[in-house]
Amino acid sequence: MLTNLHHVQLSMPAGQGKKARAFYGDVLGMDEEPKPEPLASRGGVWFQQGAIRLHLGVETPFSPARKAHPAMCCDQINRLAERLLDAGYAVRWDDNLPGMRRFYTDDPFGNRIEILSAG
């Protein structure tokens, strides 16, 4: 039966790989994962950091995920919040999950991203 989560996929507009790399690679610190053929010819970008795999696929027409979202754990949540703010991204703190510190941000395409930490 099911054993683990392989990846989460979000959508992005065509031709926006540079913005995806700047956000997921430069700001969040994820490594780009090469897409195998024939998937590479479809566009989009894949990222990985440890056990986290996030795939961005091109969708036309594009519509961002404003409610559905990946939630990623972070061991330096304040530092990441500062990096996002310094890069011009909003950080919306939320205290509605007992025992967790968390915030929401949006990638350059408007997809909702949750970052959380125990505490």
Side-chain angles (χ1 to χ4, degrees):
M1 291 296 168
L2 300 177
T3 60
N4 65 320
L5 182 66
H6 185 271
H7 71 273
V8 171
Q9 175 143 346
L10 293 173
S11 297
M12 63 180 272
Q16 299 296 309
K18 185 175 179 179
K19 285 184 181 179
R21 289 177 183 95
F23 180 79
Y24 289 98
D26 297 341
V27 179
L28 296 187
M30 299 181 82
D31 296 319
E32 185 171 347
E33 181 181 4
K35 289 181 69 172
E37 284 298 342
L39 300 177
S41 62
R42 297 179 186 174
V45 190
W46 290 4
F47 296 93
Q48 182 173 358
Q49 180 65 42
I52 300 170
R53 285 188 176 143
L54 191 136
H55 295 178
L56 290 163
V58 172
E59 186 174 16
T60 305
F62 170 72
S63 180
R66 298 202 186 276
K67 180 69 174 175
H69 62 276
M72 296 180 271
C73 294
C74 180
D75 61 3
Q76 298 179 39
I77 195 165
N78 290 333
R79 183 172 176 218
L80 183 54
E82 289 174 18
R83 286 177 68 165
L84 285 158
L85 290 168
D86 289 346
Y89 294 96
V91 170
R92 299 178 302 279
W93 289 97
D94 180 282
D95 61 359
N96 292 319
L97 185 60
M100 302 297 285
R101 292 192 67 226
R102 71 177 178 171
F103 66 80
Y104 294 96
T105 191
D106 301 305
D107 74 5
F109 318 116
N111 293 310
R112 182 177 174 183
I113 308 292
E114 181 179 350
I115 305 294
L116 52 112
S117 176

